[in-house]
Amino acid sequence: DQQVKQNSPSLSVQEGRISILNCDYTNSMFDYFLWYKKYPAEGPTFLISISSIKDKNEDGRFTVFLNKSAKHLSLHIVPSQPGDSAVYFCAASEGLDSWGKLQFGAGTQVVVTP
Amino acid sequence: DVKVTQSSRYLVKRTGEKVFLECVQDMDHENMFWYRQDPGLGLRLIYFSYDVKMKEKGDIPEGYSVSREKKERFSLILESASTNQTSMYLCASSFGWSGNTIYFGEGSWLTVV
């Protein structure tokens, strides 16, 4: 059974508006969370991460929020740009020293329209 | 820039064939990984290696084996390909233990007919 779930397979948003991507997890041992971005015909690239000791991490237009009690995290993109159109994967690991073994969600396809 | 190169982008193989997927990284990374990506399932870890000749099973190792004879090269082997192994295969490497240091290749699309 998948331990990381992204229940929205797709999201369409207008350029300049906020994109909110959601991710839920079931394993309470997860304590490090990441978002990856993937363009067609390319491998995923690291976007932003958060450890369980924080509830928010910001990097430019990207902010990740973590709600440990709800086992929920979200990625906010503000403002959304056409270049943000991609598939976004949420991932989680048990510990920072996890040998890079990650559990991934199914991904959310984001389309930013002009 | 880190480069993870997967030699075959698109392959079509017959059921029962032995299939080799090759991956090379140029940054002297200790760790290398093979994932497969399927619609609705995301990326799932097949095998990983933290050193030459060392390997560890991931979440879905059945039907696969791996080889790491040199630090820069990590091969995924399908001993007898089956149609349920039709997928996108992603190789990755990392210089640390955390996910933000993982670099992925562009992927290999394998179709088994």
PDB file of all heavy atoms in Angstrom, chain A residues 2 34 36 38 41 43-44 46 89 96 98-106, chain B residues 9 33 35 37 40-43 45 48 50 59 97-100 102 104-106:
ATOM      1  N   GLN A   2       0.468   2.243  -0.765  1.00  0.00           N
ATOM      2  CA  GLN A   2       1.281   3.450  -0.857  1.00  0.00           C
ATOM      3  C   GLN A   2       1.285   4.213   0.443  1.00  0.00           C
ATOM      4  O   GLN A   2       0.239   4.470   1.039  1.00  0.00           O
ATOM      5  CB  GLN A   2       0.753   4.352  -1.982  1.00  0.00           C
ATOM      6  CG  GLN A   2       1.250   3.950  -3.357  1.00  0.00           C
ATOM      7  CD  GLN A   2       1.034   5.036  -4.384  1.00  0.00           C
ATOM      8  OE1 GLN A   2      -0.085   5.285  -4.770  1.00  0.00           O
ATOM      9  NE2 GLN A   2       2.107   5.687  -4.804  1.00  0.00           N
ATOM     10  N   LEU A  34      10.194  15.785   0.806  1.00  0.00           N
ATOM     11  CA  LEU A  34      10.770  16.492  -0.331  1.00  0.00           C
ATOM     12  C   LEU A  34       9.741  16.635  -1.437  1.00  0.00           C
ATOM     13  O   LEU A  34       8.796  15.843  -1.535  1.00  0.00           O
ATOM     14  CB  LEU A  34      11.967  15.705  -0.893  1.00  0.00           C
ATOM     15  CG  LEU A  34      13.034  15.256   0.088  1.00  0.00           C
ATOM     16  CD1 LEU A  34      12.780  13.807   0.535  1.00  0.00           C
ATOM     17  CD2 LEU A  34      14.412  15.351  -0.547  1.00  0.00           C
ATOM     18  N   TYR A  36       9.754  17.021  -5.697  1.00  0.00           N
ATOM     19  CA  TYR A  36      10.520  16.957  -6.923  1.00  0.00           C
ATOM     20  C   TYR A  36       9.630  17.451  -8.061  1.00  0.00           C
ATOM     21  O   TYR A  36       8.411  17.281  -8.055  1.00  0.00           O
ATOM     22  CB  TYR A  36      10.958  15.517  -7.228  1.00  0.00           C
ATOM     23  CG  TYR A  36      12.093  15.022  -6.392  1.00  0.00           C
ATOM     24  CD1 TYR A  36      11.883  14.576  -5.093  1.00  0.00           C
ATOM     25  CD2 TYR A  36      13.395  15.005  -6.890  1.00  0.00           C
ATOM     26  CE1 TYR A  36      12.937  14.121  -4.317  1.00  0.00           C
ATOM     27  CE2 TYR A  36      14.449  14.547  -6.117  1.00  0.00           C
ATOM     28  CZ  TYR A  36      14.201  14.113  -4.837  1.00  0.00           C
ATOM     29  OH  TYR A  36      15.247  13.668  -4.068  1.00  0.00           O
ATOM     30  N   LYS A  38       9.190  17.308 -12.334  1.00  0.00           N
ATOM     31  CA  LYS A  38       9.604  16.515 -13.485  1.00  0.00           C
ATOM     32  C   LYS A  38       8.966  17.052 -14.757  1.00  0.00           C
ATOM     33  O   LYS A  38       7.743  17.104 -14.870  1.00  0.00           O
ATOM     34  CB  LYS A  38       9.216  15.045 -13.277  1.00  0.00           C
ATOM     35  CG  LYS A  38       9.725  14.118 -14.386  1.00  0.00           C
ATOM     36  CD  LYS A  38       9.308  12.684 -14.133  1.00  0.00           C
ATOM     37  CE  LYS A  38       9.890  11.749 -15.182  1.00  0.00           C
ATOM     38  NZ  LYS A  38       9.450  12.071 -16.558  1.00  0.00           N
ATOM     39  N   ALA A  41      10.161  13.760 -20.526  1.00  0.00           N
ATOM     40  CA  ALA A  41      11.422  13.269 -21.096  1.00  0.00           C
ATOM     41  C   ALA A  41      12.651  13.682 -20.283  1.00  0.00           C
ATOM     42  O   ALA A  41      13.772  13.634 -20.794  1.00  0.00           O
ATOM     43  CB  ALA A  41      11.581  13.716 -22.552  1.00  0.00           C
ATOM     44  N   GLY A  43      14.478  13.498 -16.102  1.00  0.00           N
ATOM     45  CA  GLY A  43      14.359  12.920 -14.773  1.00  0.00           C
ATOM     46  C   GLY A  43      13.861  13.945 -13.772  1.00  0.00           C
ATOM     47  O   GLY A  43      13.940  15.150 -14.008  1.00  0.00           O
ATOM     48  N   PRO A  44      13.331  13.501 -12.640  1.00  0.00           N
ATOM     49  CA  PRO A  44      12.892  14.441 -11.602  1.00  0.00           C
ATOM     50  C   PRO A  44      14.067  15.242 -11.062  1.00  0.00           C
ATOM     51  O   PRO A  44      15.193  14.740 -10.994  1.00  0.00           O
ATOM     52  CB  PRO A  44      12.329  13.521 -10.504  1.00  0.00           C
ATOM     53  CG  PRO A  44      12.071  12.217 -11.164  1.00  0.00           C
ATOM     54  CD  PRO A  44      13.080  12.099 -12.255  1.00  0.00           C
ATOM     55  N   PHE A  46      15.221  17.873  -7.756  1.00  0.00           N
ATOM     56  CA  PHE A  46      14.874  18.287  -6.405  1.00  0.00           C
ATOM     57  C   PHE A  46      14.397  19.736  -6.401  1.00  0.00           C
ATOM     58  O   PHE A  46      14.977  20.608  -7.044  1.00  0.00           O
ATOM     59  CB  PHE A  46      16.089  18.129  -5.487  1.00  0.00           C
ATOM     60  CG  PHE A  46      15.916  18.764  -4.141  1.00  0.00           C
ATOM     61  CD1 PHE A  46      15.090  18.184  -3.196  1.00  0.00           C
ATOM     62  CD2 PHE A  46      16.573  19.935  -3.838  1.00  0.00           C
ATOM     63  CE1 PHE A  46      14.926  18.776  -1.961  1.00  0.00           C
ATOM     64  CE2 PHE A  46      16.423  20.532  -2.606  1.00  0.00           C
ATOM     65  CZ  PHE A  46      15.596  19.957  -1.663  1.00  0.00           C
ATOM     66  N   PHE A  89       6.209  15.593  -7.682  1.00  0.00           N
ATOM     67  CA  PHE A  89       6.167  14.411  -6.821  1.00  0.00           C
ATOM     68  C   PHE A  89       6.500  14.802  -5.390  1.00  0.00           C
ATOM     69  O   PHE A  89       7.482  15.498  -5.138  1.00  0.00           O
ATOM     70  CB  PHE A  89       7.184  13.360  -7.280  1.00  0.00           C
ATOM     71  CG  PHE A  89       6.850  12.699  -8.582  1.00  0.00           C
ATOM     72  CD1 PHE A  89       7.464  13.099  -9.757  1.00  0.00           C
ATOM     73  CD2 PHE A  89       5.930  11.663  -8.635  1.00  0.00           C
ATOM     74  CE1 PHE A  89       7.165  12.495 -10.969  1.00  0.00           C
ATOM     75  CE2 PHE A  89       5.629  11.038  -9.840  1.00  0.00           C
ATOM     76  CZ  PHE A  89       6.247  11.469 -11.003  1.00  0.00           C
ATOM     77  N   LEU A  96      16.967  11.678   8.025  1.00  0.00           N
ATOM     78  CA  LEU A  96      17.781  12.373   7.039  1.00  0.00           C
ATOM     79  C   LEU A  96      18.824  11.417   6.460  1.00  0.00           C
ATOM     80  O   LEU A  96      19.145  11.459   5.284  1.00  0.00           O
ATOM     81  CB  LEU A  96      18.464  13.564   7.710  1.00  0.00           C
ATOM     82  CG  LEU A  96      19.181  14.556   6.811  1.00  0.00           C
ATOM     83  CD1 LEU A  96      18.187  15.214   5.879  1.00  0.00           C
ATOM     84  CD2 LEU A  96      19.871  15.605   7.649  1.00  0.00           C
ATOM     85  N   SER A  98      18.904   8.416   5.316  1.00  0.00           N
ATOM     86  CA  SER A  98      18.034   7.323   4.876  1.00  0.00           C
ATOM     87  C   SER A  98      18.590   6.590   3.670  1.00  0.00           C
ATOM     88  O   SER A  98      17.876   5.848   3.025  1.00  0.00           O
ATOM     89  CB  SER A  98      16.658   7.891   4.532  1.00  0.00           C
ATOM     90  OG  SER A  98      16.792   8.805   3.464  1.00  0.00           O
ATOM     91  N   TRP A  99      19.868   6.795   3.392  1.00  0.00           N
ATOM     92  CA  TRP A  99      20.487   6.196   2.217  1.00  0.00           C
ATOM     93  C   TRP A  99      19.802   6.686   0.936  1.00  0.00           C
ATOM     94  O   TRP A  99      19.918   6.065  -0.096  1.00  0.00           O
ATOM     95  CB  TRP A  99      20.415   4.666   2.259  1.00  0.00           C
ATOM     96  CG  TRP A  99      21.101   4.063   3.424  1.00  0.00           C
ATOM     97  CD1 TRP A  99      20.592   3.871   4.661  1.00  0.00           C
ATOM     98  CD2 TRP A  99      22.430   3.550   3.469  1.00  0.00           C
ATOM     99  NE1 TRP A  99      21.524   3.262   5.476  1.00  0.00           N
ATOM    100  CE2 TRP A  99      22.657   3.059   4.759  1.00  0.00           C
ATOM    101  CE3 TRP A  99      23.457   3.440   2.518  1.00  0.00           C
ATOM    102  CZ2 TRP A  99      23.863   2.494   5.140  1.00  0.00           C
ATOM    103  CZ3 TRP A  99      24.654   2.871   2.901  1.00  0.00           C
ATOM    104  CH2 TRP A  99      24.850   2.410   4.198  1.00  0.00           C
ATOM    105  N   GLY A 100      19.070   7.792   1.039  1.00  0.00           N
ATOM    106  CA  GLY A 100      18.388   8.265  -0.144  1.00  0.00           C
ATOM    107  C   GLY A 100      17.201   7.422  -0.546  1.00  0.00           C
ATOM    108  O   GLY A 100      16.642   7.597  -1.623  1.00  0.00           O
ATOM    109  N   LYS A 101      16.785   6.472   0.306  1.00  0.00           N
ATOM    110  CA  LYS A 101      15.614   5.656  -0.021  1.00  0.00           C
ATOM    111  C   LYS A 101      14.361   6.473   0.239  1.00  0.00           C
ATOM    112  O   LYS A 101      14.106   6.871   1.366  1.00  0.00           O
ATOM    113  CB  LYS A 101      15.605   4.398   0.838  1.00  0.00           C
ATOM    114  CG  LYS A 101      16.667   3.388   0.468  1.00  0.00           C
ATOM    115  CD  LYS A 101      16.820   2.321   1.523  1.00  0.00           C
ATOM    116  CE  LYS A 101      15.549   1.543   1.724  1.00  0.00           C
ATOM    117  NZ  LYS A 101      15.734   0.485   2.747  1.00  0.00           N
ATOM    118  N   LEU A 102      13.648   6.709  -0.798  1.00  0.00           N
ATOM    119  CA  LEU A 102      12.485   7.573  -0.703  1.00  0.00           C
ATOM    120  C   LEU A 102      11.214   6.832  -1.083  1.00  0.00           C
ATOM    121  O   LEU A 102      11.231   5.953  -1.941  1.00  0.00           O
ATOM    122  CB  LEU A 102      12.658   8.774  -1.645  1.00  0.00           C
ATOM    123  CG  LEU A 102      13.881   9.655  -1.408  1.00  0.00           C
ATOM    124  CD1 LEU A 102      14.041  10.651  -2.537  1.00  0.00           C
ATOM    125  CD2 LEU A 102      13.767  10.377  -0.074  1.00  0.00           C
ATOM    126  N   GLN A 103      10.120   7.223  -0.439  1.00  0.00           N
ATOM    127  CA  GLN A 103       8.780   6.778  -0.849  1.00  0.00           C
ATOM    128  C   GLN A 103       8.132   7.946  -1.576  1.00  0.00           C
ATOM    129  O   GLN A 103       8.056   9.052  -1.032  1.00  0.00           O
ATOM    130  CB  GLN A 103       7.958   6.386   0.381  1.00  0.00           C
ATOM    131  CG  GLN A 103       8.472   5.167   1.114  1.00  0.00           C
ATOM    132  CD  GLN A 103       8.254   3.886   0.334  1.00  0.00           C
ATOM    133  OE1 GLN A 103       7.323   3.778  -0.445  1.00  0.00           O
ATOM    134  NE2 GLN A 103       9.126   2.912   0.572  1.00  0.00           N
ATOM    135  N   PHE A 104       7.680   7.690  -2.794  1.00  0.00           N
ATOM    136  CA  PHE A 104       7.123   8.755  -3.617  1.00  0.00           C
ATOM    137  C   PHE A 104       5.607   8.644  -3.718  1.00  0.00           C
ATOM    138  O   PHE A 104       5.039   7.539  -3.686  1.00  0.00           O
ATOM    139  CB  PHE A 104       7.690   8.667  -5.047  1.00  0.00           C
ATOM    140  CG  PHE A 104       9.082   9.190  -5.198  1.00  0.00           C
ATOM    141  CD1 PHE A 104      10.175   8.389  -4.919  1.00  0.00           C
ATOM    142  CD2 PHE A 104       9.299  10.487  -5.641  1.00  0.00           C
ATOM    143  CE1 PHE A 104      11.474   8.865  -5.076  1.00  0.00           C
ATOM    144  CE2 PHE A 104      10.589  10.973  -5.803  1.00  0.00           C
ATOM    145  CZ  PHE A 104      11.670  10.167  -5.519  1.00  0.00           C
ATOM    146  N   GLY A 105       4.966   9.801  -3.890  1.00  0.00           N
ATOM    147  CA  GLY A 105       3.567   9.814  -4.262  1.00  0.00           C
ATOM    148  C   GLY A 105       3.425   9.609  -5.762  1.00  0.00           C
ATOM    149  O   GLY A 105       4.421   9.509  -6.490  1.00  0.00           O
ATOM    150  N   ALA A 106       2.176   9.565  -6.221  1.00  0.00           N
ATOM    151  CA  ALA A 106       1.902   9.272  -7.636  1.00  0.00           C
ATOM    152  C   ALA A 106       2.122  10.467  -8.540  1.00  0.00           C
ATOM    153  O   ALA A 106       2.185  10.316  -9.757  1.00  0.00           O
ATOM    154  CB  ALA A 106       0.474   8.761  -7.791  1.00  0.00           C
TER     155      ALA A 106
ATOM    156  N   ARG B   9      17.222   5.078 -24.198  1.00  0.00           N
ATOM    157  CA  ARG B   9      16.034   5.858 -23.853  1.00  0.00           C
ATOM    158  C   ARG B   9      14.751   5.081 -24.119  1.00  0.00           C
ATOM    159  O   ARG B   9      13.792   5.183 -23.370  1.00  0.00           O
ATOM    160  CB  ARG B   9      16.007   7.169 -24.632  1.00  0.00           C
ATOM    161  CG  ARG B   9      17.132   8.139 -24.294  1.00  0.00           C
ATOM    162  CD  ARG B   9      17.082   8.592 -22.831  1.00  0.00           C
ATOM    163  NE  ARG B   9      15.782   9.085 -22.410  1.00  0.00           N
ATOM    164  CZ  ARG B   9      15.370  10.342 -22.581  1.00  0.00           C
ATOM    165  NH1 ARG B   9      16.128  11.223 -23.198  1.00  0.00           N
ATOM    166  NH2 ARG B   9      14.173  10.726 -22.153  1.00  0.00           N
ATOM    167  N   PHE B  33      20.866   4.251  -7.601  1.00  0.00           N
ATOM    168  CA  PHE B  33      19.514   3.726  -7.400  1.00  0.00           C
ATOM    169  C   PHE B  33      18.857   3.394  -8.743  1.00  0.00           C
ATOM    170  O   PHE B  33      19.144   4.031  -9.748  1.00  0.00           O
ATOM    171  CB  PHE B  33      18.624   4.783  -6.718  1.00  0.00           C
ATOM    172  CG  PHE B  33      19.213   5.392  -5.478  1.00  0.00           C
ATOM    173  CD1 PHE B  33      20.119   6.428  -5.550  1.00  0.00           C
ATOM    174  CD2 PHE B  33      18.839   4.927  -4.232  1.00  0.00           C
ATOM    175  CE1 PHE B  33      20.665   7.003  -4.408  1.00  0.00           C
ATOM    176  CE2 PHE B  33      19.374   5.488  -3.075  1.00  0.00           C
ATOM    177  CZ  PHE B  33      20.296   6.528  -3.171  1.00  0.00           C
ATOM    178  N   TYR B  35      14.841   3.153  -9.950  1.00  0.00           N
ATOM    179  CA  TYR B  35      13.420   3.286  -9.674  1.00  0.00           C
ATOM    180  C   TYR B  35      12.642   2.942 -10.937  1.00  0.00           C
ATOM    181  O   TYR B  35      13.159   3.052 -12.048  1.00  0.00           O
ATOM    182  CB  TYR B  35      13.067   4.737  -9.307  1.00  0.00           C
ATOM    183  CG  TYR B  35      13.471   5.198  -7.930  1.00  0.00           C
ATOM    184  CD1 TYR B  35      14.745   5.714  -7.692  1.00  0.00           C
ATOM    185  CD2 TYR B  35      12.569   5.153  -6.882  1.00  0.00           C
ATOM    186  CE1 TYR B  35      15.102   6.159  -6.422  1.00  0.00           C
ATOM    187  CE2 TYR B  35      12.918   5.601  -5.604  1.00  0.00           C
ATOM    188  CZ  TYR B  35      14.185   6.102  -5.397  1.00  0.00           C
ATOM    189  OH  TYR B  35      14.529   6.544  -4.136  1.00  0.00           O
ATOM    190  N   GLN B  37       8.838   4.089 -12.702  1.00  0.00           N
ATOM    191  CA  GLN B  37       7.733   5.035 -12.580  1.00  0.00           C
ATOM    192  C   GLN B  37       6.553   4.515 -13.363  1.00  0.00           C
ATOM    193  O   GLN B  37       6.663   4.246 -14.563  1.00  0.00           O
ATOM    194  CB  GLN B  37       8.133   6.416 -13.131  1.00  0.00           C
ATOM    195  CG  GLN B  37       7.024   7.441 -13.017  1.00  0.00           C
ATOM    196  CD  GLN B  37       7.331   8.726 -13.763  1.00  0.00           C
ATOM    197  OE1 GLN B  37       8.445   8.953 -14.216  1.00  0.00           O
ATOM    198  NE2 GLN B  37       6.352   9.582 -13.882  1.00  0.00           N
ATOM    199  N   GLY B  40      -0.074   6.534 -11.666  1.00  0.00           N
ATOM    200  CA  GLY B  40      -0.858   6.278 -10.466  1.00  0.00           C
ATOM    201  C   GLY B  40      -0.075   5.691  -9.305  1.00  0.00           C
ATOM    202  O   GLY B  40      -0.609   5.556  -8.206  1.00  0.00           O
ATOM    203  N   LEU B  41       1.180   5.354  -9.551  1.00  0.00           N
ATOM    204  CA  LEU B  41       1.990   4.737  -8.483  1.00  0.00           C
ATOM    205  C   LEU B  41       3.229   5.541  -8.138  1.00  0.00           C
ATOM    206  O   LEU B  41       3.907   5.248  -7.150  1.00  0.00           O
ATOM    207  CB  LEU B  41       2.414   3.317  -8.897  1.00  0.00           C
ATOM    208  CG  LEU B  41       1.287   2.308  -9.081  1.00  0.00           C
ATOM    209  CD1 LEU B  41       1.842   0.991  -9.621  1.00  0.00           C
ATOM    210  CD2 LEU B  41       0.547   2.069  -7.771  1.00  0.00           C
ATOM    211  N   GLY B  42       3.561   6.510  -8.933  1.00  0.00           N
ATOM    212  CA  GLY B  42       4.750   7.297  -8.666  1.00  0.00           C
ATOM    213  C   GLY B  42       6.020   6.505  -8.933  1.00  0.00           C
ATOM    214  O   GLY B  42       6.048   5.599  -9.760  1.00  0.00           O
ATOM    215  N   LEU B  43       7.084   6.851  -8.224  1.00  0.00           N
ATOM    216  CA  LEU B  43       8.363   6.170  -8.368  1.00  0.00           C
ATOM    217  C   LEU B  43       8.511   5.140  -7.255  1.00  0.00           C
ATOM    218  O   LEU B  43       8.263   5.440  -6.086  1.00  0.00           O
ATOM    219  CB  LEU B  43       9.525   7.166  -8.258  1.00  0.00           C
ATOM    220  CG  LEU B  43       9.854   8.018  -9.471  1.00  0.00           C
ATOM    221  CD1 LEU B  43       8.779   9.057  -9.732  1.00  0.00           C
ATOM    222  CD2 LEU B  43      11.213   8.692  -9.299  1.00  0.00           C
ATOM    223  N   LEU B  45      11.223   2.199  -5.611  1.00  0.00           N
ATOM    224  CA  LEU B  45      12.626   1.802  -5.580  1.00  0.00           C
ATOM    225  C   LEU B  45      12.772   0.308  -5.829  1.00  0.00           C
ATOM    226  O   LEU B  45      12.169  -0.506  -5.129  1.00  0.00           O
ATOM    227  CB  LEU B  45      13.239   2.185  -4.232  1.00  0.00           C
ATOM    228  CG  LEU B  45      14.714   1.873  -4.044  1.00  0.00           C
ATOM    229  CD1 LEU B  45      15.577   2.669  -5.025  1.00  0.00           C
ATOM    230  CD2 LEU B  45      15.132   2.176  -2.609  1.00  0.00           C
ATOM    231  N   PHE B  48      19.126  -0.469  -4.734  1.00  0.00           N
ATOM    232  CA  PHE B  48      20.121   0.582  -4.632  1.00  0.00           C
ATOM    233  C   PHE B  48      21.463  -0.003  -4.224  1.00  0.00           C
ATOM    234  O   PHE B  48      21.544  -1.153  -3.770  1.00  0.00           O
ATOM    235  CB  PHE B  48      19.668   1.693  -3.676  1.00  0.00           C
ATOM    236  CG  PHE B  48      19.696   1.337  -2.220  1.00  0.00           C
ATOM    237  CD1 PHE B  48      20.718   1.788  -1.400  1.00  0.00           C
ATOM    238  CD2 PHE B  48      18.671   0.594  -1.663  1.00  0.00           C
ATOM    239  CE1 PHE B  48      20.729   1.481  -0.049  1.00  0.00           C
ATOM    240  CE2 PHE B  48      18.676   0.284  -0.318  1.00  0.00           C
ATOM    241  CZ  PHE B  48      19.704   0.726   0.498  1.00  0.00           C
ATOM    242  N   TYR B  50      25.273   1.217  -2.345  1.00  0.00           N
ATOM    243  CA  TYR B  50      26.000   2.255  -1.627  1.00  0.00           C
ATOM    244  C   TYR B  50      27.512   2.125  -1.804  1.00  0.00           C
ATOM    245  O   TYR B  50      28.280   2.879  -1.228  1.00  0.00           O
ATOM    246  CB  TYR B  50      25.623   2.275  -0.142  1.00  0.00           C
ATOM    247  CG  TYR B  50      25.739   0.931   0.539  1.00  0.00           C
ATOM    248  CD1 TYR B  50      26.927   0.538   1.132  1.00  0.00           C
ATOM    249  CD2 TYR B  50      24.653   0.066   0.578  1.00  0.00           C
ATOM    250  CE1 TYR B  50      27.040  -0.694   1.745  1.00  0.00           C
ATOM    251  CE2 TYR B  50      24.747  -1.168   1.182  1.00  0.00           C
ATOM    252  CZ  TYR B  50      25.949  -1.547   1.768  1.00  0.00           C
ATOM    253  OH  TYR B  50      26.048  -2.767   2.367  1.00  0.00           O
ATOM    254  N   ASP B  59      11.889  -1.619  -2.676  1.00  0.00           N
ATOM    255  CA  ASP B  59      10.517  -2.036  -2.368  1.00  0.00           C
ATOM    256  C   ASP B  59       9.974  -3.089  -3.326  1.00  0.00           C
ATOM    257  O   ASP B  59       9.093  -3.861  -2.962  1.00  0.00           O
ATOM    258  CB  ASP B  59       9.595  -0.813  -2.388  1.00  0.00           C
ATOM    259  CG  ASP B  59       9.977   0.189  -1.320  1.00  0.00           C
ATOM    260  OD1 ASP B  59      10.273  -0.240  -0.186  1.00  0.00           O
ATOM    261  OD2 ASP B  59      10.001   1.397  -1.615  1.00  0.00           O
ATOM    262  N   TRP B  97      23.265  11.033   2.007  1.00  0.00           N
ATOM    263  CA  TRP B  97      22.234  10.078   2.378  1.00  0.00           C
ATOM    264  C   TRP B  97      20.826  10.641   2.282  1.00  0.00           C
ATOM    265  O   TRP B  97      19.860   9.920   2.443  1.00  0.00           O
ATOM    266  CB  TRP B  97      22.464   9.607   3.832  1.00  0.00           C
ATOM    267  CG  TRP B  97      23.829   9.068   4.075  1.00  0.00           C
ATOM    268  CD1 TRP B  97      24.680   9.449   5.055  1.00  0.00           C
ATOM    269  CD2 TRP B  97      24.516   8.068   3.313  1.00  0.00           C
ATOM    270  NE1 TRP B  97      25.858   8.727   4.958  1.00  0.00           N
ATOM    271  CE2 TRP B  97      25.760   7.886   3.904  1.00  0.00           C
ATOM    272  CE3 TRP B  97      24.167   7.308   2.195  1.00  0.00           C
ATOM    273  CZ2 TRP B  97      26.693   6.965   3.414  1.00  0.00           C
ATOM    274  CZ3 TRP B  97      25.091   6.396   1.709  1.00  0.00           C
ATOM    275  CH2 TRP B  97      26.322   6.235   2.315  1.00  0.00           C
ATOM    276  N   SER B  98      20.712  11.916   2.022  1.00  0.00           N
ATOM    277  CA  SER B  98      19.376  12.497   2.041  1.00  0.00           C
ATOM    278  C   SER B  98      18.876  12.769   0.632  1.00  0.00           C
ATOM    279  O   SER B  98      19.651  12.910  -0.306  1.00  0.00           O
ATOM    280  CB  SER B  98      19.365  13.796   2.850  1.00  0.00           C
ATOM    281  OG  SER B  98      20.234  14.738   2.271  1.00  0.00           O
ATOM    282  N   GLY B  99      17.583  12.832   0.505  1.00  0.00           N
ATOM    283  CA  GLY B  99      16.966  12.890  -0.812  1.00  0.00           C
ATOM    284  C   GLY B  99      17.251  14.138  -1.599  1.00  0.00           C
ATOM    285  O   GLY B  99      17.075  14.154  -2.810  1.00  0.00           O
ATOM    286  N   ASN B 100      17.721  15.197  -0.937  1.00  0.00           N
ATOM    287  CA  ASN B 100      17.950  16.412  -1.715  1.00  0.00           C
ATOM    288  C   ASN B 100      19.273  16.382  -2.448  1.00  0.00           C
ATOM    289  O   ASN B 100      19.610  17.317  -3.151  1.00  0.00           O
ATOM    290  CB  ASN B 100      17.847  17.654  -0.830  1.00  0.00           C
ATOM    291  CG  ASN B 100      18.916  17.684   0.253  1.00  0.00           C
ATOM    292  OD1 ASN B 100      19.579  16.686   0.486  1.00  0.00           O
ATOM    293  ND2 ASN B 100      19.064  18.809   0.910  1.00  0.00           N
ATOM    294  N   ILE B 102      19.978  13.679  -4.435  1.00  0.00           N
ATOM    295  CA  ILE B 102      19.787  12.670  -5.472  1.00  0.00           C
ATOM    296  C   ILE B 102      19.632  13.335  -6.835  1.00  0.00           C
ATOM    297  O   ILE B 102      18.896  14.307  -6.974  1.00  0.00           O
ATOM    298  CB  ILE B 102      18.541  11.817  -5.177  1.00  0.00           C
ATOM    299  CG1 ILE B 102      18.828  10.870  -4.021  1.00  0.00           C
ATOM    300  CG2 ILE B 102      18.123  11.010  -6.389  1.00  0.00           C
ATOM    301  CD1 ILE B 102      17.680   9.946  -3.716  1.00  0.00           C
ATOM    302  N   PHE B 104      18.731  12.425 -10.863  1.00  0.00           N
ATOM    303  CA  PHE B 104      18.122  11.398 -11.698  1.00  0.00           C
ATOM    304  C   PHE B 104      18.595  11.498 -13.149  1.00  0.00           C
ATOM    305  O   PHE B 104      18.883  12.593 -13.642  1.00  0.00           O
ATOM    306  CB  PHE B 104      16.603  11.528 -11.689  1.00  0.00           C
ATOM    307  CG  PHE B 104      15.950  11.044 -10.430  1.00  0.00           C
ATOM    308  CD1 PHE B 104      15.777  11.885  -9.342  1.00  0.00           C
ATOM    309  CD2 PHE B 104      15.489   9.733 -10.331  1.00  0.00           C
ATOM    310  CE1 PHE B 104      15.174  11.443  -8.176  1.00  0.00           C
ATOM    311  CE2 PHE B 104      14.875   9.283  -9.175  1.00  0.00           C
ATOM    312  CZ  PHE B 104      14.723  10.133  -8.095  1.00  0.00           C
ATOM    313  N   GLY B 105      18.637  10.357 -13.812  1.00  0.00           N
ATOM    314  CA  GLY B 105      18.813  10.330 -15.257  1.00  0.00           C
ATOM    315  C   GLY B 105      17.502  10.656 -15.951  1.00  0.00           C
ATOM    316  O   GLY B 105      16.476  10.902 -15.298  1.00  0.00           O
ATOM    317  N   GLU B 106      17.542  10.642 -17.278  1.00  0.00           N
ATOM    318  CA  GLU B 106      16.361  11.038 -18.049  1.00  0.00           C
ATOM    319  C   GLU B 106      15.340   9.921 -18.211  1.00  0.00           C
ATOM    320  O   GLU B 106      14.233  10.166 -18.677  1.00  0.00           O
ATOM    321  CB  GLU B 106      16.803  11.548 -19.420  1.00  0.00           C
ATOM    322  CG  GLU B 106      17.603  12.840 -19.338  1.00  0.00           C
ATOM    323  CD  GLU B 106      18.034  13.321 -20.703  1.00  0.00           C
ATOM    324  OE1 GLU B 106      18.234  12.493 -21.610  1.00  0.00           O
ATOM    325  OE2 GLU B 106      18.184  14.550 -20.882  1.00  0.00           O
TER     326      GLU B 106
END
